Amino acid sequence: MDIDVSKYFKPNLNEARKRSRKDVPHDQFHLDEQLKTIGHGKKYLIDTYGCQANEADGETMAGILSLMGFEKTNQEKEASVIIINTCAIRENAENRVWGELGRLKALKRDNPDLILGVSGCMAQEENVVNRILKKFQHVDLVFGTHNIDQLPQYIQTAMFSKERVIEVFSQEGNIVENLPKNRNHTKKAWVNIMFGCDEFCTYCIVPYTRGKERSRLREDIIEELTELKSLGYLEVTLLGQNVNAYGKDFKTNDYTFGDLLRDLDTVGIPRIRFTTSHPHDLDLKTMEAIRDCDSIMPFFHLPVQSGSSSVLKKMNRHYTKETYLDKLKQLREIVPGISVTTDIIVGFPGETDEDFLDTLDLVEKAKFEGAFTFIYSPREGTPAAKFKDDLDPQVKKERLYKLNELVNQGYLEGNQRFQDEVVEVLVDGPSKNNPEILAGYTPHQKLVNFKAPETYIGKIVKVKIKEVKTWYMMGEIVQ
Ligand code: SAH
Ligand code: SF4
Ligand code: F3S
C-alpha cells in the first residue's frame, strides 16, 4: 500500500545542515489547562538511548507527561504511551531501536489504544522517518529534538483523532525555558547549558540532528542550579555537545564557558561537572576556573578521536596530535592531578597502520584514565560517508582490541594513584554487581565500592581506598 506522506512534517538533512545568522529567541513553556488532565488514570514509559543530552530530554518528556496527569511505569503492558527516545550516532545504536520497534508490534496489536512514539536523533533523519512511515505502521507518533515542548499537543492529536502524528522540523526552534522535568536521580542532575553543535566533524550526525549551537542565558542556568541546590542536589553535570563553545552565539557580550563556571561555583552545589569539550575550543579561562573553583571537579573528558594528524584533518577536528598534547600538558600544569578521559574512533576511512600507531602513541603519551572507543560507523548524509573506505572490517576489530588493551592499562593506572588515599564519595546506592555493598564516585569520577549502611546513600562520605582494580576501587568508610 502506498502512503500519502505529503501531509507530514518530515526532516531533511540538507535543510538541517543550514545555519542561520539569526538569534534564537527564548520562550517559556506553558501547558493549557485542558491538557492537564488528559493523562489521568493512564501511564507512560520512556525508553532512552544515547548520550546525556538524550537522557535530559527523556526527563523533560517525563516531566511534561506528568504535568498532563500521566503516571510513570516500567511495565510495557500497563502503558498508554510508550516513547522510544532514540540515538543515531552509530549504526548499532539504530539497529537496537529497529529491533525494539519490531518487537513492540505485538503489544500494539493487543492494545490498539497504545500510543507508540519515536523521538530523539533518529527521528531527525529522513530515511528513518520514511522507513517508519512505510514499514512500521504501528508507530503513531514521531517528533524530533527541536519540538519536545509540543508533546502535549501531539499526544492530544494522537489520542483523539487517531491519526498518525509526524512532526519533525529540520531546523531548531526557540530555546524553551521553564520545561518541567522528572529527574531520574535525587542527588545528581543534568543541566543543559547549550544545544546543538556547529563543529561538523565529518563522521558525525549530531550537527544535523541537534541543530545550530545556541546557549541558554546565564541567569536561566543559575536559576536552575539554585533550585537544584534548594532541593538538596549534590552534583550537577552541565551538558552541551561542545561546552567550550558556550556563549559564542551571544552577540552583545563576550561571556564564555570559563565565566559561567565561576558564576555557577558561587551557587553552592558541592560538585559541578561538564561534558563534552572540544579540544580546539578549550581555553585558558576554563582551565583557570577549574583550578580556582572548589565545586568544579578535577575531571575532564576531552575527546581526541585519533592520534594521527592527517586523520584528524579528514575528520575536520581543527587540531593536530601535537597541539592536542600541548593543550593537555597546559591543562595538567594548571590543574595538577586532574583526571582526563577521551573518545577514540578507529577505522576511519583511509586510516593506515601508521595512523593507527600514532593513535596508540598518543594514548600512551596522554595518560588517559579512561576512554570510550568505537569502530567508525558511516552515517548517511555526513561527508565521511562518501569517503573511500576499503579497510578490512577484521582489521578494524583488531585495532579496536589493541587500543582497548592500552586504554584498560590507563584505567588501572588512574585508579592506582589513589591506593591508600582517603577520597570523598558521593554514594549512589547499592553496587550493581553486589547489592550488599554501596557504590559511588569520587571527584575524579572513580567508582568506589565499600561496605556501609544504606543510610549513607545520597551523601558525600570519606572512604579510604584499600584495593585497586581496573574498573573500580574497594574502600572502607573513614569515621
Ligand atoms: N559532542 C561530543 C559527543 C559526540 S558523540 C563530542 O564531540 O565529544 C560521542 C562520541 O561518539 C564521539 O566523541 C565520537 O568518538 C563517537 N562518534 C561520533 N560519530 C561516530 C561515528 N560515525 N562512528 C563512530 N563513532 C562516532
Ligand atoms: Fe559530533 Fe564533532 Fe559536534 Fe562532537 S563536536 S557532536 S563529534 S560534530
Ligand atoms: Fe546519540 Fe543524538 Fe546524543 S545521536 S549521542 S542521542 S546527540
Side-chain angles (χ1 to χ4, degrees):
M1 183 176 61
D2 261 358
I3 294 169
D4 173 20
V5 295
S6 56
K7 62 182 174 181
Y8 298 126
F9 270 106
K10 295 201 299 170
N12 174 312
L13 290 180
N14 274 333
E15 283 300 308
R17 191 182 169 77
K18 292 182 185 156
R19 292 295 186 261
S20 76
R21 288 184 177 278
K22 282 199 306 250
D23 269 342
V24 175
H26 292 235
D27 276 350
Q28 293 288 319
F29 176 76
H30 167 79
L31 184 64
D32 285 345
E33 276 311 308
Q34 93 241 27
L35 292 175
K36 286 190 179 156
T37 48
I38 69 172
H40 277 172
K42 297 190 166 73
K43 296 188 175 171
Y44 73 86
L45 186 154
I46 299 173
D47 192 7
T48 292
Y49 296 78
C51 65
Q52 294 94 333
N54 237 24
E55 276 185 45
D57 285 351
E59 293 182 344
T60 302
M61 292 174 208
I64 293 175
L65 290 169
S66 294
L67 264 194
M68 296 169 75
F70 290 93
E71 261 179 67
K72 181 180 168 165
T73 178
N74 295 322
Q75 303 294 320
E76 285 172 354
K77 287 211 168 107
E78 287 182 2
S80 302
V81 175
I82 295 180
I83 296 176
I84 313 289
N85 190 22
T86 62
C87 169
I89 202 82
R90 282 169 292 274
E91 193 183 1
N92 56 8
E94 296 206 344
N95 285 342
R96 281 167 63 203
V97 168
W98 292 122
E100 271 302 281
L101 289 179
R103 194 181 60 75
L104 289 167
K105 209 172 221 165
L107 192 72
K108 176 76 184 180
R109 201 184 309 124
D110 295 345
N111 174 11
D113 287 338
L114 168 71
I115 297 175
L116 178 57
V118 173
S119 66
C121 286
M122 275 174 79
Q124 293 294 141
E125 297 179 294
E126 57 206 278
N127 60 350
V128 166
V129 175
N130 285 333
R131 186 164 164 192
I132 290 176
L133 279 168
K134 301 219 165 88
K135 302 241 171 76
F136 292 81
Q137 289 178 35
H138 58 294
V139 172
D140 308 282
L141 166 62
V142 182
F143 61 102
T145 57
H146 301 317
N147 46 344
I148 293 171
D149 58 301
Q150 301 295 313
L151 184 58
Q153 287 77 359
Y154 302 153
I155 296 279
Q156 185 187 33
T157 313
M159 256 175 146
F160 297 114
S161 78
K162 299 279 173 199
E163 285 230 12
R164 297 181 94 184
V165 182
I166 314 288
E167 294 271 339
V168 186
F169 306 128
S170 297
Q171 292 197 332
E172 63 288 330
N174 300 349
I175 290 185
V176 182
E177 290 297 343
N178 209 22
L179 284 161
K181 290 196 174 72
N182 270 11
R183 298 186 191 268
N184 293 327
H185 204 287
T186 54
K187 297 293 163 193
K188 302 208 273 196
W190 311 117
V191 172
N192 288 308
I193 60 165
M194 59 194 299
F195 305 94
C197 180
D198 284 350
E199 289 295 333
F200 288 99
C201 305
T202 52
Y203 50 82
C204 184
I205 195 74
V206 174
Y208 306 80
T209 63
R210 294 272 168 182
K212 79 167 176 177
E213 243 162 44
R214 53 222 191 267
S215 305
R216 286 179 74 196
L217 300 175
R218 78 172 109 166
E219 46 275 24
D220 291 327
I221 302 170
I222 292 172
E223 195 180 308
E224 187 169 347
L225 259 73
T226 308
E227 194 198 332
L228 288 167
K229 170 156 168 63
S230 72
L231 293 169
Y233 276 82
L234 298 175
E235 182 173 303
V236 159
T237 303
L238 311 174
L239 298 182
Q241 294 302 334
N242 173 10
V243 290
N244 299 103
Y246 174 82
K248 289 200 170 161
D249 53 324
F250 295 149
K251 302 212 168 92
T252 49
N253 61 44
D254 52 10
Y255 188 81
T256 61
F257 186 57
D259 301 311
L260 181 69
L261 288 179
R262 284 186 195 271
D263 276 345
L264 296 182
D265 179 54
T266 64
V267 173
I269 300 257
R271 292 180 167 201
I272 297 178
R273 303 183 184 279
F274 52 85
T275 198
T276 307
S277 296
H278 192 299
H280 168 67
D281 288 315
L282 167 58
D283 61 4
L284 182 64
K285 250 163 105 175
T286 299
M287 300 183 199
E288 289 175 344
I290 304 173
R291 177 194 65 197
D292 297 342
C293 302
D294 286 345
S295 68
I296 314 292
M297 293 291 102
F299 172 82
F300 213 109
H301 185 63
L302 193 62
V304 66
Q305 312 299 0
S306 169
S308 152
S309 297
S310 96
V311 171
L312 287 168
K313 190 150 199 258
K314 289 182 207 151
M315 289 176 161
N316 192 32
R317 290 290 289 181
H318 304 292
Y319 54 85
T320 63
K321 178 184 184 187
E322 290 71 30
T323 55
Y324 180 91
L325 286 170
D326 284 349
K327 215 159 235 189
L328 205 55
K329 187 160 164 259
Q330 187 188 17
L331 175 65
R332 288 195 168 119
E333 273 164 14
I334 294 173
V335 193
I338 192 166
S339 166
V340 180
T341 61
T342 199
D343 291 349
I344 300 168
I345 297 175
V346 298
F348 188 75
E351 185 188 69
T352 62
D353 281 337
E354 215 173 34
D355 291 325
F356 178 61
L357 289 177
D358 264 336
T359 296
L360 294 181
D361 183 54
L362 177 130
V363 170
E364 257 179 50
K365 292 197 166 106
K367 303 231 166 295
F368 294 122
E369 298 187 9
F372 295 116
T373 56
F374 312 100
I375 291 181
Y376 166 71
S377 169
R379 305 284 69 214
E380 194 178 315
T382 61
K386 296 203 186 78
F387 296 175
K388 192 163 159 235
D389 181 8
D390 49 11
L391 200 62
D392 181 350
Q394 193 53 36
V395 173
K396 295 185 188 182
K397 277 194 198 147
E398 282 162 17
R399 286 184 186 168
L400 185 70
Y401 183 81
K402 233 185 193 154
L403 173 63
N404 284 344
E405 275 185 329
L406 197 58
V407 161
N408 294 350
Q409 188 60 30
Y411 274 100
L412 182 64
E413 284 168 17
N415 283 345
Q416 276 166 344
R417 66 191 179 103
F418 295 97
Q419 177 75 48
D420 300 323
E421 298 274 310
V422 173
V423 291
E424 290 196 331
V425 177
L426 169 49
V427 189
D428 280 339
S431 155
K432 281 198 188 103
N433 299 324
N434 179 357
E436 306 278 292
I437 52 180
L438 299 182
Y441 286 88
T442 70
H444 294 82
Q445 192 73 325
K446 308 282 179 192
L447 178 61
V448 180
N449 291 337
F450 56 97
K451 272 215 175 76
E454 291 202 345
T455 47
Y456 282 71
I457 295 173
K459 300 198 167 100
I460 294 177
V461 298
K462 285 197 163 54
V463 177
K464 180 159 188 184
I465 302 302
K466 292 288 182 182
E467 195 186 345
V468 165
K469 308 267 190 197
T470 303
W471 310 116
Y472 64 95
M473 313 193 273
M474 292 297 302
E476 271 172 20
I477 283 282
V478 180
Q479 297 298 346

